[in-house]
Amino acid sequence: MGLIGGSLALALKKAGFAATVTAWDRDPEALEKALERGVIDGAADSVRSLMDAADVAVLATPTLACEALILEMLQNPGSARCVTDVASVKGDLYRAVVAAAPEGAAIYVPGHPIAGSERSGVAAADAALFERHRVILTPDANTDSRALELVQKLWVAAGATVQSMDVEEHDSVLAATSHLPHVLAYALVDALAQSPIRDDIFRFAAGGFRDFTRIASSDPVMWRDISMANRDALLGALDDFCEHLSTLRNAIAAGDGRALENTFRSAKTARDEFARDLAARDRVAD
Amino acid sequence: MGLIGGSLALALKKAGFAATVTAWDRDPEALEKALERGVIDGAADSVRSLMDAADVAVLATPTLACEALILEMLQNPGSARCVTDVASVKGDLYRAVVAAAPEGAAIYVPGHPIAGSERSGVAAADAALFERHRVILTPDANTDSRALELVQKLWVAAGATVQSMDVEEHDSVLAATSHLPHVLAYALVDALAQSPIRDDIFRFAAGGFRDFTRIASSDPVMWRDISMANRDALLGALDDFCEHLSTLRNAIAAGDGRALENTFRSAKTARDEFARDLAARDRVAD
């Protein structure tokens, strides 16, 4: 019962996808808040009793808690026809399930809604959080087709668009578009905060710097866990980035204006195209 | 007669600081547009004739043209009581003046308005462009005090706040807050655009990625010139950043969650403080 779990509960009740929503949370206060706010209809006292009463089960805990819980859910799936999750990294959970709960793997449909906000907790739950957002599912050849269909319907009911992708590719794409930029923003702010001219730096920085470093205000624990969970793909993206940065560094040191201009221009072209496509997607969604 | 020169002309006429504004531009069309729009009162046919008629002279050309022109202005300052500029990098111009126009150096007050927009050209000129923005001046011990006062008054008339700083420190601060982030954004977009999974990367990237990479849509020529002009300070900032990034990389590879969390948390603290101070400054300015 955090932002994601709470928002999904509200969205699914509102859409009529879920007749009743029951939650389990290791924090009884979170469950109480959720009940008070009408985010859920009932609270379960254990994962086991939750699975025994569920058609569809969604895991929405912080990253570090996911592995033990997904295994528990799939080892004793009770009446659940499908089990899905919302973790930002998919490979580690998937591999853990294949290794330790293979018999339950067929009804496990790994999922990742690309949504969120800087707020957190069930008090911030918002039924519209997923509207016009993308959800990536990473089924494999063994995934039960009815389980997959159910999870697709779930997310469509919440207002999202759903796509499937290979699990490794998901982790590589997210490493590039999200995990690496967070590491870069944290590294930049940390480097500047330790500079001898730190005070002037932060005094004279303005809106552009604020936008570029916005994601360095993200939750350090969550991003520690994501970095650890997606370590291989993140290192791959980081090393590739460092290679390109090193080439730029050499061009700057050598005074090679032409090489700089070529790289800057080709990056601008790619980014402008991306921004246009994003704007077009937003308009279509409207 | 670009965005900066045009906006300053409008601001100074509006504030009554300038009785008449005359401009020279190597592009006669830019001068014509400026005259038509009422941005300037007259067009000069050479730098020399401009200096012969001016009390205050402002250089506002693209970075690459600055050095030759500032020397020309200071070698034949005519009636000018002060000469200033708006270039993003100050050290290279300053050193060129000290070396090649020392006799004119006393009335040269290097300046840098931290303002701008994604638009360019005199058609985008805006009298309010500098309001509540900061201007950094980099006078030295030899700067004529009346010239300095005049330039300070000029920028206050345009609505800006004015601060003085050592010229080397200016270039280091700007390298950290502006030049390095641009290089990082260009490097990231370029690396991703060349990835084999480029299509998925750009298809699944969303608002956070768009914000982080916004500055990679900046003008490649301008940023090539800034990178070349501020090479030493930029390399210093880049190498310092890479050291911090390398430490983070090692922590990720080693699975050292504690080190990651410490760095992320300390970056978040610094960035949150910066964002609060920026918001407070904006409110005070209102």
Side-chain angles (χ1 to χ4, degrees):
Chain A
M1 276 296 106
L3 173 72
I4 302 292
S7 299
L8 187 56
L10 286 173
L12 296 180
K13 286 298 291 296
K14 188 169 174 202
F17 178 88
T20 39
V21 177
T22 309
W24 173 82
D25 192 309
R26 69 176 181 183
D27 175 9
E29 247 185 70
L31 286 176
E32 234 178 85
K33 258 192 235 156
L35 278 163
E36 275 166 33
R37 281 199 69 205
V39 172
I40 56 176
D41 304 302
D45 53 24
S46 66
V47 173
R48 174 70 75 107
S49 63
L50 189 99
M51 299 305 288
D52 282 343
D55 293 315
V56 174
V58 182
L59 174 65
T61 63
T63 297
L64 220 56
C66 286
E67 188 173 311
L69 286 166
I70 199 73
L71 292 179
E72 193 182 339
M73 293 164 81
L74 292 171
Q75 281 158 358
N76 290 287
S79 60
R81 290 187 274 152
C82 67
V83 177
T84 189
D85 73 303
V86 299
S88 304
V89 182
K90 309 254 53 78
D92 58 332
L93 286 183
Y94 171 77
R95 287 186 289 273
V97 165
V98 163
E103 65 295 342
I107 63 166
Y108 174 43
V109 184
H112 176 207
I114 304 181
S117 83
E118 53 288 357
R119 301 159 296 147
S120 64
V122 70
D126 171 11
L129 190 72
F130 307 104
E131 280 173 19
R132 299 179 313 168
H133 280 73
R134 289 166 172 259
V135 173
I136 301 177
L137 305 180
T138 61
D140 69 5
N142 298 322
T143 306
D144 180 83
S145 58
R146 285 163 305 176
L148 176 58
E149 209 184 305
L150 210 38
V151 175
Q152 286 166 333
K153 285 187 168 147
L154 178 153
W155 283 112
V156 168
T161 58
V162 183
Q163 266 147 309
S164 289
M165 192 186 282
D166 171 75
V167 63
E168 300 297 335
E169 183 151 344
H170 166 277
D171 286 357
S172 296
V173 168
L174 269 297
T177 59
S178 176
H179 308 166
L180 175 62
H182 278 81
V183 171
L184 297 182
Y186 281 128
L188 177 65
V189 175
D190 191 50
L192 300 190
Q194 292 183 39
S195 161
I197 55 169
R198 170 216 166 105
D199 288 345
D200 272 335
I201 286 172
F202 287 103
R203 192 176 306 135
F204 287 100
F209 183 79
R210 176 193 53 210
D211 294 341
F212 186 81
T213 59
R214 187 186 307 281
I215 56 185
S217 283
S218 301
D219 177 26
V221 167
M222 177 172 126
W223 284 94
R224 171 199 73 192
D225 292 346
I226 287 175
S227 302
M228 295 283 86
N230 202 21
R231 182 169 70 188
D232 291 346
L234 177 53
L235 286 176
L238 213 161
D239 290 345
D240 183 55
F241 168 78
C242 283
E243 243 185 76
H244 280 81
L245 188 61
S246 175
T247 301
L248 271 180
R249 189 220 183 272
N250 293 342
I252 293 167
D256 188 350
R258 178 165 303 232
L260 275 193
E261 187 186 344
N262 287 344
T263 300
F264 291 175
R265 193 176 294 286
S266 119
K268 173 178 168 60
T269 300
R271 201 255 165 205
D272 285 350
E273 192 183 311
F274 156 70
R276 274 194 306 269
D277 290 349
L278 186 63
R281 288 203 306 258
D282 286 348
R283 282 194 301 275
V284 164
D286 289 329
Chain B
M1 277 297 106
L3 174 71
I4 303 291
S7 299
L8 187 56
L10 285 173
L12 296 179
K13 284 300 290 295
K14 189 170 171 198
F17 178 89
T20 39
V21 177
T22 309
W24 173 82
D25 192 308
R26 68 176 181 182
D27 175 7
E29 246 184 70
L31 287 176
E32 235 179 84
K33 259 193 233 154
L35 278 162
E36 275 167 33
R37 280 200 70 207
V39 173
I40 57 177
D41 304 301
D45 52 24
S46 67
V47 173
R48 172 70 74 106
S49 63
L50 190 99
M51 300 304 289
D52 282 344
D55 294 312
V56 174
V58 182
L59 175 65
T61 63
T63 297
L64 221 56
C66 285
E67 188 172 313
L69 285 165
I70 199 73
L71 292 178
E72 193 181 339
M73 292 164 83
L74 292 170
Q75 282 158 358
N76 289 288
S79 60
R81 292 187 273 153
C82 67
V83 177
T84 189
D85 74 302
V86 298
S88 303
V89 182
K90 306 255 55 78
D92 56 333
L93 285 183
Y94 171 77
R95 287 185 288 273
V97 166
V98 164
E103 65 295 341
I107 63 164
Y108 173 43
V109 183
H112 175 207
I114 304 181
S117 84
E118 54 288 356
R119 299 159 297 145
S120 63
V122 71
D126 170 12
L129 191 71
F130 307 103
E131 279 173 21
R132 300 177 314 166
H133 280 74
R134 290 165 172 260
V135 174
I136 302 178
L137 305 180
T138 61
D140 70 3
N142 298 323
T143 306
D144 181 82
S145 57
R146 287 164 303 178
L148 176 58
E149 211 185 302
L150 212 36
V151 175
Q152 286 167 333
K153 285 187 165 146
L154 178 153
W155 283 112
V156 168
T161 59
V162 184
Q163 267 148 306
S164 290
M165 191 187 283
D166 171 76
V167 62
E168 300 296 336
E169 183 151 344
H170 166 278
D171 287 357
S172 295
V173 169
L174 269 297
T177 60
S178 177
H179 307 165
L180 174 62
H182 278 81
V183 170
L184 297 183
Y186 279 129
L188 177 66
V189 175
D190 191 49
L192 299 190
Q194 292 183 40
S195 162
I197 54 168
R198 171 218 167 104
D199 287 345
D200 272 336
I201 286 172
F202 288 102
R203 191 175 307 137
F204 288 100
F209 184 78
R210 177 193 52 209
D211 293 340
F212 186 82
T213 59
R214 187 185 307 279
I215 54 185
S217 283
S218 301
D219 175 27
V221 168
M222 178 173 124
W223 285 95
R224 172 199 71 192
D225 293 345
I226 287 175
S227 302
M228 295 283 87
N230 202 21
R231 183 170 69 189
D232 291 344
L234 177 54
L235 286 175
L238 213 161
D239 290 344
D240 183 56
F241 168 78
C242 284
E243 242 185 78
H244 280 81
L245 188 61
S246 175
T247 301
L248 272 181
R249 188 219 183 273
N250 294 341
I252 294 167
D256 188 351
R258 179 164 302 230
L260 276 193
E261 187 186 343
N262 286 344
T263 300
F264 290 177
R265 192 176 293 287
S266 121
K268 174 179 169 59
T269 300
R271 202 256 165 203
D272 285 350
E273 190 183 314
F274 156 70
R276 276 194 305 270
D277 292 347
L278 187 62
R281 289 204 306 257
D282 286 347
R283 282 195 301 275
V284 164
D286 287 329

